[in-house]
Amino acid sequence: MINKQNFEELFNQHLIKDISEEPIDIVLSGQYGKALELLRDAETTGLFPSLVGPPGVGKTILCRYFASLRAKENKNRSFNWLTMDESIKPSHFIGSFDPAITLKKGFVLEAFNPGPLLNAMLEGGTFLANEINRATEYSQNTLLEPLEEASIGIPHLGRIKADKDFFFICAMNPEELSGTHRLSEALKDRIKVWIKLTYPDKSTELDIIRINLPEQFIVEESELELIYSVIKETRQNKVDIEIPASIRAGIAMAKLLGRRRQIEKEKKIKEKESIYVYLPEIARNVLLGSIKPKPGVKVENVIENIIHKTLGG
Ligand SMILES: Nc1ncnc2c1ncn2[C@@H]1O[C@H](COP(=O)(O)OP(=O)(O)OP(=O)(O)O)[C@@H](O)[C@H]1O
Ligand SMILES: [Mg+2]
């Protein structure tokens, strides 16, 4: 049980002190290598980039990897991020005053808890504004000064100039570009490199599944191919499906299949069960929440059609 004594110890044990030391298993073939190169070009030229792509195509992992490369080069530079929605306020970016200390001492530096944007600006780290187009225009406006002037005003305390290594990236979902809180024109004009990510090509996606599969779960190549065909079918059926399966769904299916195979091994079962017995069930379990059907279409029916088409039966 967590108590006051072991909380501090556990917290320090799990604290990510330096992103450059965090191992990141990333595949850099296909679109990812090109996207990374563009991020590096944006950094070198001082232009701010945006990654645009549907859920689960690798926007966050690419940013983390990029931030870790910068951290390795610049030593101890941090990576801060904030995922936006309508409830995000400017204070979530900048920070806020601790009410108890402020009551005692007033609006002094000591009472101020810095937010992730301010931290990145002070440390020269990377700040990722995730799902930026979900924030209201009021909150998006907080970013205008940091991006244009490399400075930011902190209420009651003054204005700070960002460290020269401060870098900003944002990520968003393309469908929502036309959503309620789309990116404000003022902010859009300050983002100058637009990097599109989509579902990767087959060999890249299979590599991603392999790299994310713990080594105790052994899945054969022919089995991976079948998993990929199920995932691919969700992306091709544009009549019934609004949001298809992401990379995460393929990884999940491979893990579940790998676990079945591991159990067979543990039980010393000689005759491996056919994949056609396991995979339909696994596909049902994973796809149920991994695809979004078009309005009026029943998700169960779509899944059965996909299974029938790709796995037969
Ligand atoms: N190039 C890659 N190399 C290794 N793993 C990857 C790669 N791209 C994606 N993944 C894996 O796919 C999953 C989804 O990636 P990630 O979280 O980066 O997607 P995202 O685009 O940020 O999704 P969301 O829009 O939902 O935030 C993660 O488990 C990640 O490890
Ligand atoms: Mg993400």
Side-chain angles (χ1 to χ4, degrees), residues 166-306:
F166 165 67
F167 194 61
F168 170 90
I169 309 177
C170 60
M172 68 186 88
N173 196 314
E175 272 93 344
E176 291 178 7
L177 269 176
S178 54
T180 9
H181 299 298
R182 60 181 187 279
L183 216 56
S184 78
E185 290 303 324
L187 190 54
K188 225 194 252 169
D189 200 40
R190 285 161 171 80
I191 297 164
K192 279 287 150 274
V193 185
W194 297 87
I195 304 173
K196 211 173 140 188
L197 287 181
T198 136
Y199 301 111
D201 59 75
K202 182 177 170 183
S203 84
T204 304
E205 184 148 356
L206 288 178
D207 278 346
I208 293 176
I209 296 178
R210 284 185 203 106
I211 214 173
N212 280 284
L213 200 58
E215 56 186 49
Q216 70 271 27
F217 299 151
I218 297 163
V219 177
E220 281 174 20
E221 285 306 299
S222 59
E223 298 176 332
L224 281 182
E225 292 268 339
L226 273 179
I227 289 176
Y228 180 75
S229 69
V230 173
I231 299 299
K232 178 89 193 273
E233 183 56 31
T234 70
R235 296 174 191 161
Q236 275 168 345
N237 182 345
K238 296 198 166 52
V239 178
D240 296 324
I241 300 178
E242 195 171 308
I243 302 179
S246 78
I247 298 175
R248 289 189 187 104
I251 296 172
M253 285 170 66
K255 281 183 176 168
L256 288 174
L257 181 63
R259 174 64 185 143
R260 288 282 124 222
R261 296 292 184 221
Q262 189 190 33
I263 293 172
E264 284 178 342
K265 223 170 136 190
E266 280 167 7
K267 290 188 177 163
K268 300 198 170 44
I269 296 171
K270 285 208 185 80
E271 281 287 307
K272 275 170 64 177
E273 188 61 90
S274 160
I275 175 137
Y276 294 99
V277 171
Y278 287 144
L279 206 48
E281 207 47 43
I282 288 175
R284 283 184 196 106
N285 289 137
V286 171
L287 293 184
L288 190 63
S290 301
I291 58 176
K292 185 177 174 199
K294 290 261 170 75
V297 179
K298 265 191 93 175
V299 67
E300 285 88 353
N301 294 347
V302 185
I303 293 173
E304 290 314 314
N305 286 342
I306 290 168

Side-chain angles (χ1 to χ4, degrees), residues 24-29 31-32 53-64 81 83 130-131 134 171-173 197 200 204 207-209 211-212 246-249 251 255:
I24 301 173
D25 290 329
I26 188 169
V27 172
L28 285 174
S29 56
Q31 61 176 350
Y32 299 104
V57 286
K59 300 181 294 294
T60 302
I61 192 172
L62 193 66
C63 286
R64 275 177 50 222
W81 60 338
T83 297
N130 212 11
E131 313 277 11
R134 288 196 190 171
M172 68 186 88
N173 196 314
L197 287 181
T204 304
D207 278 346
I208 293 176
I209 296 178
I211 214 173
N212 280 284
S246 78
I247 298 175
R248 289 189 187 104
I251 296 172
K255 281 183 176 168

